[in-house]
Amino acid sequence: MENLKSIIESLLFVSDEPLTIERLKIVLSPAAGGDIRSALNLLTEEYEARRGGFQLKEIAGGYQLRTRPEFSEWITKLVQPRAPRLSKAALETLAIIAYKQPVIRSDVEHIRGVDCGGVIRVLLERNLIRVLGRKEIPGRPLIYATTKRFLEVFDLKDLKDLPTPKEIEEMGQALADRSGVVIEDDTADETRESQLELDFEESEIDEPTGLGDNPDNGAEPPESAEGVEPTDSEADSGYPRPS
């Protein structure tokens, strides 16, 4: 296909979410996946050589044009984006789910030492975690994992890019600052969250039928958990370019 690289560049320019190779293959049929990947690699090299205002990054299993982090000061003055707001309790719970997924609520609460029902509700509403299914143990609790939105917010290609515990200790606040996430003082939030409907799992979340029910399926958990009921089918260094 002639001008394949330019066509892909135009698609990246208008897309408000990362484009996967499979998605590009559908749009660019009959172009081969190898040719598409080669064009993406060429674009990446060109943007890096030019050192302009944006770059092509592999995020959440796809490719997306993103502004360079060194220009964030001026970008925020222009667009004034609303940064995702998370309490310390929510960020801590999200980290546990990210590293332990697939995981059930009781396991998260065992690590944190406090009830996490309200915090998990918030993370579900923010589309940072999702429900995978139910674990085949008494009570059949819901199983949680992170979403593609989580990877986008924290500028991760996939779950393998999660920092090690040692790196987390070294980075500290830097990770939240880079991602634009505002960590709020949760002194009052802990009390409020603990008073939310703690048994919301049974009353407000329908039993999932499969990962295909969620348009934002996210990355696969690093490994499956024993006793998990099978389903039917199956995080920022820069701002995405506004469409």
Side-chain angles (χ1 to χ4, degrees), residues 205-241:
I205 297 183
D206 293 333
E207 181 169 346
T209 57
L211 297 181
D213 295 342
N214 190 338
D216 185 7
N217 285 335
E220 287 295 326
E223 59 183 21
S224 60
E226 183 179 356
V228 174
E229 181 184 36
T231 52
D232 294 337
S233 62
E234 203 36 307
D236 191 78
S237 62
Y239 297 98
R241 186 210 58 76

PDB file of all heavy atoms in Angstrom, residues 205-241:
ATOM      1  N   ILE A 205     -23.367  -4.823  41.523  1.00  0.00           N
ATOM      2  CA  ILE A 205     -22.575  -5.255  40.375  1.00  0.00           C
ATOM      3  C   ILE A 205     -23.150  -6.562  39.871  1.00  0.00           C
ATOM      4  O   ILE A 205     -23.183  -7.548  40.584  1.00  0.00           O
ATOM      5  CB  ILE A 205     -21.099  -5.439  40.749  1.00  0.00           C
ATOM      6  CG1 ILE A 205     -20.513  -4.096  41.198  1.00  0.00           C
ATOM      7  CG2 ILE A 205     -20.304  -5.992  39.583  1.00  0.00           C
ATOM      8  CD1 ILE A 205     -19.045  -4.167  41.528  1.00  0.00           C
ATOM      9  N   ASP A 206     -23.631  -6.578  38.625  1.00  0.00           N
ATOM     10  CA  ASP A 206     -24.180  -7.798  38.060  1.00  0.00           C
ATOM     11  C   ASP A 206     -23.067  -8.810  37.887  1.00  0.00           C
ATOM     12  O   ASP A 206     -21.935  -8.464  37.599  1.00  0.00           O
ATOM     13  CB  ASP A 206     -24.818  -7.516  36.687  1.00  0.00           C
ATOM     14  CG  ASP A 206     -26.035  -6.631  36.835  1.00  0.00           C
ATOM     15  OD1 ASP A 206     -26.647  -6.672  37.924  1.00  0.00           O
ATOM     16  OD2 ASP A 206     -26.351  -5.910  35.882  1.00  0.00           O
ATOM     17  N   GLU A 207     -23.408 -10.037  38.019  1.00  0.00           N
ATOM     18  CA  GLU A 207     -22.409 -11.083  37.839  1.00  0.00           C
ATOM     19  C   GLU A 207     -21.910 -11.037  36.409  1.00  0.00           C
ATOM     20  O   GLU A 207     -22.683 -11.082  35.456  1.00  0.00           O
ATOM     21  CB  GLU A 207     -23.026 -12.447  38.129  1.00  0.00           C
ATOM     22  CG  GLU A 207     -22.023 -13.578  37.983  1.00  0.00           C
ATOM     23  CD  GLU A 207     -22.600 -14.865  38.529  1.00  0.00           C
ATOM     24  OE1 GLU A 207     -23.626 -14.806  39.222  1.00  0.00           O
ATOM     25  OE2 GLU A 207     -22.021 -15.924  38.251  1.00  0.00           O
ATOM     26  N   PRO A 208     -20.611 -10.915  36.206  1.00  0.00           N
ATOM     27  CA  PRO A 208     -20.079 -10.783  34.852  1.00  0.00           C
ATOM     28  C   PRO A 208     -20.223 -12.084  34.061  1.00  0.00           C
ATOM     29  O   PRO A 208     -20.122 -13.173  34.629  1.00  0.00           O
ATOM     30  CB  PRO A 208     -18.595 -10.449  35.089  1.00  0.00           C
ATOM     31  CG  PRO A 208     -18.288 -11.058  36.416  1.00  0.00           C
ATOM     32  CD  PRO A 208     -19.564 -10.921  37.220  1.00  0.00           C
ATOM     33  N   THR A 209     -20.431 -11.932  32.762  1.00  0.00           N
ATOM     34  CA  THR A 209     -20.539 -13.100  31.908  1.00  0.00           C
ATOM     35  C   THR A 209     -19.268 -13.349  31.131  1.00  0.00           C
ATOM     36  O   THR A 209     -19.110 -14.388  30.527  1.00  0.00           O
ATOM     37  CB  THR A 209     -21.693 -12.911  30.904  1.00  0.00           C
ATOM     38  OG1 THR A 209     -21.462 -11.724  30.153  1.00  0.00           O
ATOM     39  CG2 THR A 209     -23.014 -12.781  31.641  1.00  0.00           C
ATOM     40  N   GLY A 210     -18.342 -12.410  31.116  1.00  0.00           N
ATOM     41  CA  GLY A 210     -17.096 -12.601  30.380  1.00  0.00           C
ATOM     42  C   GLY A 210     -16.409 -11.294  30.189  1.00  0.00           C
ATOM     43  O   GLY A 210     -16.980 -10.228  30.341  1.00  0.00           O
ATOM     44  N   LEU A 211     -15.115 -11.373  29.812  1.00  0.00           N
ATOM     45  CA  LEU A 211     -14.356 -10.145  29.618  1.00  0.00           C
ATOM     46  C   LEU A 211     -14.857  -9.367  28.426  1.00  0.00           C
ATOM     47  O   LEU A 211     -14.659  -8.167  28.332  1.00  0.00           O
ATOM     48  CB  LEU A 211     -12.876 -10.496  29.408  1.00  0.00           C
ATOM     49  CG  LEU A 211     -12.198 -11.179  30.606  1.00  0.00           C
ATOM     50  CD1 LEU A 211     -10.736 -11.438  30.269  1.00  0.00           C
ATOM     51  CD2 LEU A 211     -12.314 -10.351  31.852  1.00  0.00           C
ATOM     52  N   GLY A 212     -15.527 -10.049  27.514  1.00  0.00           N
ATOM     53  CA  GLY A 212     -16.029  -9.347  26.347  1.00  0.00           C
ATOM     54  C   GLY A 212     -17.127  -8.368  26.677  1.00  0.00           C
ATOM     55  O   GLY A 212     -17.471  -7.523  25.876  1.00  0.00           O
ATOM     56  N   ASP A 213     -17.723  -8.476  27.866  1.00  0.00           N
ATOM     57  CA  ASP A 213     -18.772  -7.537  28.251  1.00  0.00           C
ATOM     58  C   ASP A 213     -18.221  -6.153  28.528  1.00  0.00           C
ATOM     59  O   ASP A 213     -18.952  -5.183  28.529  1.00  0.00           O
ATOM     60  CB  ASP A 213     -19.485  -8.037  29.509  1.00  0.00           C
ATOM     61  CG  ASP A 213     -20.230  -9.337  29.235  1.00  0.00           C
ATOM     62  OD1 ASP A 213     -20.464  -9.621  28.052  1.00  0.00           O
ATOM     63  OD2 ASP A 213     -20.560 -10.032  30.204  1.00  0.00           O
ATOM     64  N   ASN A 214     -16.959  -6.056  28.808  1.00  0.00           N
ATOM     65  CA  ASN A 214     -16.339  -4.772  29.148  1.00  0.00           C
ATOM     66  C   ASN A 214     -15.569  -4.259  27.953  1.00  0.00           C
ATOM     67  O   ASN A 214     -14.627  -4.909  27.496  1.00  0.00           O
ATOM     68  CB  ASN A 214     -15.384  -4.956  30.336  1.00  0.00           C
ATOM     69  CG  ASN A 214     -14.901  -3.627  30.876  1.00  0.00           C
ATOM     70  OD1 ASN A 214     -14.931  -2.625  30.175  1.00  0.00           O
ATOM     71  ND2 ASN A 214     -14.446  -3.624  32.120  1.00  0.00           N
ATOM     72  N   PRO A 215     -15.925  -3.094  27.377  1.00  0.00           N
ATOM     73  CA  PRO A 215     -15.200  -2.585  26.210  1.00  0.00           C
ATOM     74  C   PRO A 215     -13.759  -2.268  26.527  1.00  0.00           C
ATOM     75  O   PRO A 215     -12.935  -2.188  25.627  1.00  0.00           O
ATOM     76  CB  PRO A 215     -15.991  -1.309  25.838  1.00  0.00           C
ATOM     77  CG  PRO A 215     -16.661  -0.911  27.109  1.00  0.00           C
ATOM     78  CD  PRO A 215     -16.986  -2.193  27.811  1.00  0.00           C
ATOM     79  N   ASP A 216     -13.423  -2.080  27.796  1.00  0.00           N
ATOM     80  CA  ASP A 216     -12.047  -1.787  28.174  1.00  0.00           C
ATOM     81  C   ASP A 216     -11.490  -2.994  28.911  1.00  0.00           C
ATOM     82  O   ASP A 216     -11.405  -3.026  30.117  1.00  0.00           O
ATOM     83  CB  ASP A 216     -12.012  -0.548  29.074  1.00  0.00           C
ATOM     84  CG  ASP A 216     -10.594  -0.129  29.402  1.00  0.00           C
ATOM     85  OD1 ASP A 216      -9.671  -0.720  28.822  1.00  0.00           O
ATOM     86  OD2 ASP A 216     -10.452   0.775  30.227  1.00  0.00           O
ATOM     87  N   ASN A 217     -11.145  -4.032  28.148  1.00  0.00           N
ATOM     88  CA  ASN A 217     -10.758  -5.283  28.773  1.00  0.00           C
ATOM     89  C   ASN A 217      -9.427  -5.223  29.479  1.00  0.00           C
ATOM     90  O   ASN A 217      -9.156  -5.988  30.378  1.00  0.00           O
ATOM     91  CB  ASN A 217     -10.702  -6.408  27.730  1.00  0.00           C
ATOM     92  CG  ASN A 217     -12.092  -6.849  27.342  1.00  0.00           C
ATOM     93  OD1 ASN A 217     -13.022  -6.693  28.108  1.00  0.00           O
ATOM     94  ND2 ASN A 217     -12.234  -7.380  26.146  1.00  0.00           N
ATOM     95  N   GLY A 218      -8.548  -4.331  29.055  1.00  0.00           N
ATOM     96  CA  GLY A 218      -7.275  -4.172  29.735  1.00  0.00           C
ATOM     97  C   GLY A 218      -6.315  -5.289  29.413  1.00  0.00           C
ATOM     98  O   GLY A 218      -6.538  -6.130  28.560  1.00  0.00           O
ATOM     99  N   ALA A 219      -5.175  -5.300  30.111  1.00  0.00           N
ATOM    100  CA  ALA A 219      -4.164  -6.314  29.899  1.00  0.00           C
ATOM    101  C   ALA A 219      -4.512  -7.563  30.682  1.00  0.00           C
ATOM    102  O   ALA A 219      -5.166  -7.512  31.711  1.00  0.00           O
ATOM    103  CB  ALA A 219      -2.801  -5.782  30.338  1.00  0.00           C
ATOM    104  N   GLU A 220      -4.059  -8.695  30.172  1.00  0.00           N
ATOM    105  CA  GLU A 220      -4.282  -9.945  30.877  1.00  0.00           C
ATOM    106  C   GLU A 220      -3.503  -9.946  32.176  1.00  0.00           C
ATOM    107  O   GLU A 220      -2.376  -9.478  32.227  1.00  0.00           O
ATOM    108  CB  GLU A 220      -3.819 -11.122  29.999  1.00  0.00           C
ATOM    109  CG  GLU A 220      -4.751 -11.401  28.836  1.00  0.00           C
ATOM    110  CD  GLU A 220      -6.116 -11.851  29.299  1.00  0.00           C
ATOM    111  OE1 GLU A 220      -6.200 -12.534  30.332  1.00  0.00           O
ATOM    112  OE2 GLU A 220      -7.097 -11.518  28.643  1.00  0.00           O
ATOM    113  N   PRO A 221      -4.085 -10.488  33.256  1.00  0.00           N
ATOM    114  CA  PRO A 221      -3.331 -10.625  34.497  1.00  0.00           C
ATOM    115  C   PRO A 221      -2.110 -11.483  34.256  1.00  0.00           C
ATOM    116  O   PRO A 221      -2.089 -12.321  33.348  1.00  0.00           O
ATOM    117  CB  PRO A 221      -4.324 -11.320  35.443  1.00  0.00           C
ATOM    118  CG  PRO A 221      -5.662 -11.018  34.861  1.00  0.00           C
ATOM    119  CD  PRO A 221      -5.451 -10.953  33.378  1.00  0.00           C
ATOM    120  N   PRO A 222      -1.047 -11.301  35.042  1.00  0.00           N
ATOM    121  CA  PRO A 222       0.184 -12.026  34.819  1.00  0.00           C
ATOM    122  C   PRO A 222       0.036 -13.526  34.908  1.00  0.00           C
ATOM    123  O   PRO A 222       0.738 -14.265  34.275  1.00  0.00           O
ATOM    124  CB  PRO A 222       1.118 -11.492  35.924  1.00  0.00           C
ATOM    125  CG  PRO A 222       0.225 -10.863  36.930  1.00  0.00           C
ATOM    126  CD  PRO A 222      -0.962 -10.367  36.167  1.00  0.00           C
ATOM    127  N   GLU A 223      -0.896 -14.016  35.690  1.00  0.00           N
ATOM    128  CA  GLU A 223      -1.120 -15.445  35.775  1.00  0.00           C
ATOM    129  C   GLU A 223      -2.520 -15.691  36.304  1.00  0.00           C
ATOM    130  O   GLU A 223      -3.132 -14.850  36.933  1.00  0.00           O
ATOM    131  CB  GLU A 223      -0.089 -16.093  36.689  1.00  0.00           C
ATOM    132  CG  GLU A 223      -0.107 -15.537  38.116  1.00  0.00           C
ATOM    133  CD  GLU A 223       0.980 -16.148  38.951  1.00  0.00           C
ATOM    134  OE1 GLU A 223       1.950 -16.651  38.384  1.00  0.00           O
ATOM    135  OE2 GLU A 223       0.846 -16.123  40.175  1.00  0.00           O
ATOM    136  N   SER A 224      -3.080 -16.857  35.995  1.00  0.00           N
ATOM    137  CA  SER A 224      -4.429 -17.164  36.439  1.00  0.00           C
ATOM    138  C   SER A 224      -4.392 -17.684  37.857  1.00  0.00           C
ATOM    139  O   SER A 224      -3.406 -18.244  38.311  1.00  0.00           O
ATOM    140  CB  SER A 224      -5.062 -18.205  35.509  1.00  0.00           C
ATOM    141  OG  SER A 224      -4.295 -19.384  35.517  1.00  0.00           O
ATOM    142  N   ALA A 225      -5.522 -17.509  38.544  1.00  0.00           N
ATOM    143  CA  ALA A 225      -5.595 -17.948  39.928  1.00  0.00           C
ATOM    144  C   ALA A 225      -6.291 -19.289  40.010  1.00  0.00           C
ATOM    145  O   ALA A 225      -7.261 -19.553  39.306  1.00  0.00           O
ATOM    146  CB  ALA A 225      -6.345 -16.913  40.767  1.00  0.00           C
ATOM    147  N   GLU A 226      -5.817 -20.137  40.890  1.00  0.00           N
ATOM    148  CA  GLU A 226      -6.428 -21.442  41.067  1.00  0.00           C
ATOM    149  C   GLU A 226      -7.834 -21.273  41.624  1.00  0.00           C
ATOM    150  O   GLU A 226      -8.049 -20.501  42.545  1.00  0.00           O
ATOM    151  CB  GLU A 226      -5.583 -22.278  42.018  1.00  0.00           C
ATOM    152  CG  GLU A 226      -6.119 -23.695  42.209  1.00  0.00           C
ATOM    153  CD  GLU A 226      -5.234 -24.494  43.125  1.00  0.00           C
ATOM    154  OE1 GLU A 226      -4.179 -23.969  43.534  1.00  0.00           O
ATOM    155  OE2 GLU A 226      -5.596 -25.634  43.440  1.00  0.00           O
ATOM    156  N   GLY A 227      -8.761 -21.995  41.045  1.00  0.00           N
ATOM    157  CA  GLY A 227     -10.125 -21.942  41.542  1.00  0.00           C
ATOM    158  C   GLY A 227     -10.939 -20.826  40.953  1.00  0.00           C
ATOM    159  O   GLY A 227     -12.031 -20.554  41.407  1.00  0.00           O
ATOM    160  N   VAL A 228     -10.430 -20.145  39.914  1.00  0.00           N
ATOM    161  CA  VAL A 228     -11.183 -19.068  39.300  1.00  0.00           C
ATOM    162  C   VAL A 228     -12.168 -19.643  38.315  1.00  0.00           C
ATOM    163  O   VAL A 228     -11.806 -20.458  37.472  1.00  0.00           O
ATOM    164  CB  VAL A 228     -10.228 -18.082  38.587  1.00  0.00           C
ATOM    165  CG1 VAL A 228     -11.033 -17.047  37.826  1.00  0.00           C
ATOM    166  CG2 VAL A 228      -9.321 -17.410  39.598  1.00  0.00           C
ATOM    167  N   GLU A 229     -13.386 -19.191  38.403  1.00  0.00           N
ATOM    168  CA  GLU A 229     -14.403 -19.642  37.458  1.00  0.00           C
ATOM    169  C   GLU A 229     -14.128 -19.042  36.099  1.00  0.00           C
ATOM    170  O   GLU A 229     -14.007 -17.828  35.965  1.00  0.00           O
ATOM    171  CB  GLU A 229     -15.791 -19.222  37.946  1.00  0.00           C
ATOM    172  CG  GLU A 229     -16.899 -19.688  36.995  1.00  0.00           C
ATOM    173  CD  GLU A 229     -18.241 -19.169  37.452  1.00  0.00           C
ATOM    174  OE1 GLU A 229     -18.285 -18.043  37.962  1.00  0.00           O
ATOM    175  OE2 GLU A 229     -19.241 -19.881  37.291  1.00  0.00           O
ATOM    176  N   PRO A 230     -13.975 -19.851  35.039  1.00  0.00           N
ATOM    177  CA  PRO A 230     -13.661 -19.294  33.722  1.00  0.00           C
ATOM    178  C   PRO A 230     -14.802 -18.460  33.189  1.00  0.00           C
ATOM    179  O   PRO A 230     -15.967 -18.732  33.444  1.00  0.00           O
ATOM    180  CB  PRO A 230     -13.439 -20.553  32.860  1.00  0.00           C
ATOM    181  CG  PRO A 230     -14.230 -21.632  33.547  1.00  0.00           C
ATOM    182  CD  PRO A 230     -14.140 -21.316  35.020  1.00  0.00           C
ATOM    183  N   THR A 231     -14.446 -17.414  32.423  1.00  0.00           N
ATOM    184  CA  THR A 231     -15.448 -16.550  31.811  1.00  0.00           C
ATOM    185  C   THR A 231     -15.800 -17.084  30.430  1.00  0.00           C
ATOM    186  O   THR A 231     -15.121 -17.961  29.886  1.00  0.00           O
ATOM    187  CB  THR A 231     -14.911 -15.119  31.693  1.00  0.00           C
ATOM    188  OG1 THR A 231     -13.641 -15.169  31.040  1.00  0.00           O
ATOM    189  CG2 THR A 231     -14.721 -14.516  33.072  1.00  0.00           C
ATOM    190  N   ASP A 232     -16.791 -16.471  29.816  1.00  0.00           N
ATOM    191  CA  ASP A 232     -17.268 -16.965  28.525  1.00  0.00           C
ATOM    192  C   ASP A 232     -16.271 -16.671  27.414  1.00  0.00           C
ATOM    193  O   ASP A 232     -16.077 -17.465  26.515  1.00  0.00           O
ATOM    194  CB  ASP A 232     -18.623 -16.337  28.172  1.00  0.00           C
ATOM    195  CG  ASP A 232     -19.693 -16.791  29.139  1.00  0.00           C
ATOM    196  OD1 ASP A 232     -19.504 -17.852  29.746  1.00  0.00           O
ATOM    197  OD2 ASP A 232     -20.710 -16.087  29.266  1.00  0.00           O
ATOM    198  N   SER A 233     -15.677 -15.509  27.426  1.00  0.00           N
ATOM    199  CA  SER A 233     -14.712 -15.093  26.414  1.00  0.00           C
ATOM    200  C   SER A 233     -13.863 -14.010  26.999  1.00  0.00           C
ATOM    201  O   SER A 233     -14.194 -13.363  27.969  1.00  0.00           O
ATOM    202  CB  SER A 233     -15.415 -14.550  25.164  1.00  0.00           C
ATOM    203  OG  SER A 233     -16.167 -13.421  25.508  1.00  0.00           O
ATOM    204  N   GLU A 234     -13.099 -14.351  26.466  1.00  0.00           N
ATOM    205  CA  GLU A 234     -12.409 -13.226  26.949  1.00  0.00           C
ATOM    206  C   GLU A 234     -12.993 -12.142  26.156  1.00  0.00           C
ATOM    207  O   GLU A 234     -13.027 -12.648  25.076  1.00  0.00           O
ATOM    208  CB  GLU A 234     -10.948 -13.308  26.692  1.00  0.00           C
ATOM    209  CG  GLU A 234     -10.470 -12.520  27.580  1.00  0.00           C
ATOM    210  CD  GLU A 234     -10.197 -11.804  28.685  1.00  0.00           C
ATOM    211  OE1 GLU A 234     -10.458 -11.147  29.475  1.00  0.00           O
ATOM    212  OE2 GLU A 234      -9.729 -11.761  28.929  1.00  0.00           O
ATOM    213  N   ALA A 235      -1.488   3.157  32.713  1.00  0.00           N
ATOM    214  CA  ALA A 235      -1.249   4.158  33.637  1.00  0.00           C
ATOM    215  C   ALA A 235      -0.195   4.998  32.904  1.00  0.00           C
ATOM    216  O   ALA A 235       0.688   4.391  32.434  1.00  0.00           O
ATOM    217  CB  ALA A 235      -1.111   3.706  35.036  1.00  0.00           C
ATOM    218  N   ASP A 236       1.547   9.606  33.864  1.00  0.00           N
ATOM    219  CA  ASP A 236       1.639   9.764  32.432  1.00  0.00           C
ATOM    220  C   ASP A 236       2.773  10.718  32.075  1.00  0.00           C
ATOM    221  O   ASP A 236       2.889  11.814  32.593  1.00  0.00           O
ATOM    222  CB  ASP A 236       0.335  10.369  31.920  1.00  0.00           C
ATOM    223  CG  ASP A 236       0.266  10.316  30.419  1.00  0.00           C
ATOM    224  OD1 ASP A 236      -0.017   9.258  29.825  1.00  0.00           O
ATOM    225  OD2 ASP A 236       0.521  11.373  29.874  1.00  0.00           O
ATOM    226  N   SER A 237       3.612  10.096  31.170  1.00  0.00           N
ATOM    227  CA  SER A 237       4.772  10.914  30.821  1.00  0.00           C
ATOM    228  C   SER A 237       4.415  12.030  29.870  1.00  0.00           C
ATOM    229  O   SER A 237       5.232  12.915  29.589  1.00  0.00           O
ATOM    230  CB  SER A 237       5.859  10.033  30.183  1.00  0.00           C
ATOM    231  OG  SER A 237       5.368   9.471  28.987  1.00  0.00           O
ATOM    232  N   GLY A 238       3.212  12.027  29.367  1.00  0.00           N
ATOM    233  CA  GLY A 238       2.784  13.081  28.466  1.00  0.00           C
ATOM    234  C   GLY A 238       1.309  12.950  28.198  1.00  0.00           C
ATOM    235  O   GLY A 238       0.713  11.911  28.472  1.00  0.00           O
ATOM    236  N   TYR A 239       0.698  13.995  27.696  1.00  0.00           N
ATOM    237  CA  TYR A 239      -0.736  13.957  27.442  1.00  0.00           C
ATOM    238  C   TYR A 239      -0.995  13.425  26.058  1.00  0.00           C
ATOM    239  O   TYR A 239      -0.289  13.753  25.103  1.00  0.00           O
ATOM    240  CB  TYR A 239      -1.333  15.358  27.567  1.00  0.00           C
ATOM    241  CG  TYR A 239      -1.202  15.912  28.953  1.00  0.00           C
ATOM    242  CD1 TYR A 239      -0.164  16.783  29.273  1.00  0.00           C
ATOM    243  CD2 TYR A 239      -2.105  15.558  29.934  1.00  0.00           C
ATOM    244  CE1 TYR A 239      -0.044  17.275  30.554  1.00  0.00           C
ATOM    245  CE2 TYR A 239      -1.981  16.056  31.214  1.00  0.00           C
ATOM    246  CZ  TYR A 239      -0.949  16.930  31.512  1.00  0.00           C
ATOM    247  OH  TYR A 239      -0.809  17.421  32.766  1.00  0.00           O
ATOM    248  N   PRO A 240      -2.034  12.592  25.873  1.00  0.00           N
ATOM    249  CA  PRO A 240      -2.403  12.182  24.514  1.00  0.00           C
ATOM    250  C   PRO A 240      -2.753  13.415  23.701  1.00  0.00           C
ATOM    251  O   PRO A 240      -3.294  14.384  24.218  1.00  0.00           O
ATOM    252  CB  PRO A 240      -3.640  11.297  24.747  1.00  0.00           C
ATOM    253  CG  PRO A 240      -3.545  10.858  26.166  1.00  0.00           C
ATOM    254  CD  PRO A 240      -2.886  12.001  26.882  1.00  0.00           C
ATOM    255  N   ARG A 241      -2.435  13.358  22.405  1.00  0.00           N
ATOM    256  CA  ARG A 241      -2.744  14.489  21.552  1.00  0.00           C
ATOM    257  C   ARG A 241      -4.238  14.679  21.467  1.00  0.00           C
ATOM    258  O   ARG A 241      -4.951  13.737  21.097  1.00  0.00           O
ATOM    259  CB  ARG A 241      -2.185  14.234  20.134  1.00  0.00           C
ATOM    260  CG  ARG A 241      -2.334  15.427  19.195  1.00  0.00           C
ATOM    261  CD  ARG A 241      -2.487  14.969  17.764  1.00  0.00           C
ATOM    262  NE  ARG A 241      -3.616  14.085  17.597  1.00  0.00           N
ATOM    263  CZ  ARG A 241      -4.881  14.482  17.575  1.00  0.00           C
ATOM    264  NH1 ARG A 241      -5.176  15.761  17.701  1.00  0.00           N
ATOM    265  NH2 ARG A 241      -5.872  13.622  17.443  1.00  0.00           N
TER     266      ARG A 241
END
